[in-house]
Amino acid sequence: MSNKNRVPTVGFVSLGCPKNLVDSERILTELRTDGYQVVPSYDDADLVIVNTCGFIDSAVQESLEAIGEALNENGKVIVTGCLGAKENQIREVHPKVLEITGPHSYEQVLNHVHHYVPKPQHDPFLSLVPEQGVKLTPKHYAYLKISEGCNHRCTFCIIPSMRGDLDSRTVGDVLNEAKRLVESGVKELLIISQDTSAYGVDVKHRTGFWDGQPVKTSMVGLCEQLASLGVWVRLHYVYPYPHVDDVIPLMAEGKVLPYLDIPLQHASPKILKLMKRPGAVERTLERIKRWREICPELTLRSTFIVGFPGETEEDFQMLLDFLQEARLDRVGCFKYSPVEGAKANELADQVPEEIKEERYHRFMQLQQQISTERLQEKIGRELLVIIDEVDDEGAIGRSMADAPEIDGMVYMNGEFDVKPGDIVKVMIEHADEYDLWGSITSK
């Protein structure tokens, strides 16, 4: 092939959370539409894009290492994503980076690519981009980002300084994308944003239109419409506003998966105040109780921070007491880590590392016991399971209670007559701290 007809190639590295993954998918879709070939290795690439994460120090470190590796292996590197908001920090370590842009700056990234690797002469009919765009997830599930940014000012977080204030996508755009994904074979939509329950606050929940119908720009309005697509709809990063109560009946009716991912962060009113988070813990417990009465199948996932500045043994004990009472199904725990630019760094009474470590282990030990008990309750029950893969031992999937990558799995040993994306009924026979085992009863 003469050099004139050679298709230019771009390498791509995507780090960080699902919100970043969606940004990566969008950039890749645009690159493919422009006629570039995306390659999985550094050697064959004319240029490498690194989509970075900058949320906590370890993520910053990982991003800087990934940029360094791309420079060593390839030499021509463009950086985008959350760490891109701190250009000086990157330039200090890697002065040879060609260009740096912040998160969700798709057009700038593409302009930089065009500058360093000119657009190919491209016949779109010869290399069609799939209708749903380029996806980095398996064919049967996809992340659907409904907004950017966040209006909260939690003292441990720098997302608003990197991604800006809340900026909701129009409800018609979100639903059109959801419909395209479902038509391409997606069986599970994972709804994500920095703050899913705030969807539409910035536009005063104005009424939009989709399929000729008026639809309110709100989490509940969106969920009602997504339910009409006939696939699993899973809600992530739901801040505990009062109106979250309104989606629980939709879960009880089977319109949305009975799964809520609510980052509660702590249970001591003092620590929640220092974090600038809602502090009425009693009210949170009451609401959880009420939610479970309305929707007994409800799975609750949350994340907490231990060792936040000012956290005493008494504060930590309140957190353990909360766990005992709330009996959440899935819990993630992070030791507080100073993030450059976060307000919490200036707080007095920073907790020593060894105490953070010790509290983290006590927290995880208690939660592991609770999670194990919650899973034991599922033995002898029939659950709906979505198949993720089939290997040489059998099928592996997830129940409605399990989000991909972060929750548990359901193992169906000896079951081979299914394929990824199938939704089957499984009788649960065994459980450990995180996963379930069972046999398919019907397809």
Side-chain angles (χ1 to χ4, degrees), residues 77-94:
V77 177
I78 287 175
V79 173
T80 186
C82 284
L83 188 59
K86 301 176 178 176
E87 180 161 354
N88 296 345
Q89 195 176 347
I90 298 171
R91 291 248 176 249
E92 222 167 273
V93 185
H94 300 302

Side-chain angles (χ1 to χ4, degrees), residues 165-179:
D165 283 341
L166 180 72
D167 180 12
S168 301
R169 293 177 63 191
T170 64
V171 74
D173 279 359
V174 174
L175 289 165
N176 283 336
E177 184 180 348
K179 192 175 178 191

Side-chain angles (χ1 to χ4, degrees), residues 283-311:
R283 206 174 305 150
T284 304
L285 286 166
E286 279 164 29
R287 289 175 76 197
I288 288 173
K289 187 166 171 272
R290 196 166 68 246
W291 292 344
R292 284 178 171 151
E293 281 164 8
I294 298 166
C295 181
E297 292 296 298
L298 181 65
T299 296
L300 288 172
R301 152 169 273 286
S302 191
T303 45
F304 295 89
I305 296 172
V306 297
F308 192 80
E311 183 187 67

Side-chain angles (χ1 to χ4, degrees), residues 12-29 50-53 80-82 103-104 106 132-139 141-145 148 163 177 181 190 192-194 236-237 404-405:
F12 206 99
V13 179
S14 185
L15 304 165
C17 63
K19 294 175 281 291
N20 236 25
L21 185 80
V22 174
D23 290 348
S24 295
E25 289 175 340
R26 183 151 170 199
I27 295 166
L28 289 172
T29 299
V50 181
N51 191 3
T52 58
C53 176
T80 186
C82 284
H104 57 94
Y106 319 107
Q132 74 277 16
V134 176
K135 291 282 156 211
L136 294 170
T137 44
K139 194 175 187 301
Y141 67 81
Y143 293 103
L144 180 63
K145 191 180 344 184
E148 279 295 351
R163 287 184 173 255
E177 184 180 348
L181 289 167
L190 301 124
I192 56 163
S193 68
Q194 250 70 49
H236 282 291
Y237 316 124
E405 311 284 339

